[in-house]
């Protein structure tokens, strides 16, 4: 039993250190094409279903970005959805020629109106096991890529995070 506790705490601390390093490390200027559905499927597989229904609605989409930063942002959103969901998590992605849109929803308690901005502040967390670094990592990725992140009420009853990233950044002449 003690070994299980040590292992669990080691995993939790490893996650906090990785999140802290991800937030502190500059986003790489090197960009490469990333298949969005592939990344989402890999993340979902690595996190497991955690006794929750996972609904995927993934259109084919590619983004040219820092893959490590993109993966970290998406993983933090999906991990949060699993942590707060009662029984369902839905992830979708779609793109047109201008914008990539990733939506992550759950059927948990949702985000109170007065907390919608605070949840993106470093070290703010309502989860006693959370470090408060996951959503700031998402926000940083979005800002660095000239995108937006919105928090709404999900049709499933919980939180709905909508991340929009422009696919073509205007070059200043």
């Amino acid at each position: 039993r003690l070994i299980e506790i040590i292992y669990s705490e080691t995993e939790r601390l490893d996650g906090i250190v990785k999140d802290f390093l991800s937030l502190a490390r500059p986003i790489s200027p090197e960009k490469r094409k990333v298949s969005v559905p592939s990344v989402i499927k890999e993340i979902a597989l690595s996190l497991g279903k955690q006794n929750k229904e996972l609904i995927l609605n993934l259109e084919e989409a590619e983004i040219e970005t820092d893959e490590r930063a993109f993966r970290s942002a998406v993983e933090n959103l999906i991990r949060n959805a699993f942590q707060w969901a009662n029984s369902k998590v839905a992830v979708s992605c779609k793109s047109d020629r201008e914008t990539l849109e990733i939506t992550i929803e759950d059927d948990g308690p949702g985000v109170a109106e007065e907390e919608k901005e605070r949840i993106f502040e470093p070290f703010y967390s309502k989860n006693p096991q959370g470090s408060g670094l996951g959503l700031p990592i998402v926000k940083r990725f979005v800002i660095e890529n000239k995108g937006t992140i919105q928090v709404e009420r999900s049709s499933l009853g919980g939180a709905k995070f909508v991340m929009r990233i422009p696919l073509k950044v205007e070059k200043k002449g």
Side-chain angles (χ1 to χ4, degrees):
R1 175 83 181 114
L2 288 176
I3 290 174
E4 286 177 19
I5 293 170
I6 291 169
Y7 180 78
S8 166
E9 284 301 300
T10 303
E11 289 287 306
R12 189 178 71 79
L13 290 173
D14 182 56
I16 291 170
V17 169
K18 284 180 181 172
D19 282 348
F20 188 72
L21 290 173
S22 183
L23 192 58
R25 186 182 300 134
I27 290 179
S28 171
E30 280 190 38
K31 299 187 184 311
R32 54 178 280 210
K33 284 193 186 275
V34 177
S35 167
V36 177
S38 294
V39 168
I40 291 171
K41 287 175 189 172
E42 285 173 27
I43 290 168
L45 187 64
S46 75
L47 292 175
K49 290 191 176 183
Q50 303 174 25
N51 296 318
K52 298 184 180 152
E53 179 185 359
L54 175 62
I55 304 160
L56 296 176
N57 182 13
L58 309 175
E59 294 179 10
E60 196 49 52
E62 275 190 343
I63 184 171
E64 194 164 324
T65 190
D66 174 348
E67 183 176 2
R68 182 185 39 79
F70 175 70
R71 184 177 296 273
S72 180
V74 173
E75 183 175 343
N76 275 297
L77 287 172
I78 294 174
R79 181 182 288 123
N80 273 3
F82 273 116
Q83 286 174 348
W84 291 101
N86 292 319
S87 62
K88 280 185 193 164
V89 173
V91 181
S92 66
C93 76
K94 62 183 180 179
S95 70
D96 54 28
R97 293 182 179 172
E98 314 274 311
T99 308
L100 167 67
E101 182 177 289
I102 298 174
T103 303
I104 291 123
E105 304 179 66
D106 64 64
D107 64 349
V111 179
E113 196 64 40
E114 62 275 7
E115 292 182 321
K116 286 186 177 178
E117 287 303 314
R118 283 209 68 201
I119 60 174
F120 293 104
E121 294 174 9
F123 308 110
Y124 179 80
S125 179
K126 296 285 269 188
N127 180 352
Q129 298 295 316
S131 65
L133 295 173
L135 290 177
I137 288 169
V138 173
K139 182 78 170 187
R140 178 171 174 243
F141 173 80
V142 167
I143 289 169
E144 295 264 340
N145 285 276
K146 314 271 188 274
T148 62
I149 182 90
Q150 291 178 278
V151 185
E152 304 168 2
R153 192 79 173 152
S154 166
S155 61
L156 298 175
K160 175 181 180 179
F161 286 82
V162 182
M163 180 169 64
R164 292 183 184 92
I165 305 293
L167 293 174
K168 294 181 182 164
V169 179
E170 298 293 320
K171 295 203 165 113
K172 294 184 180 177

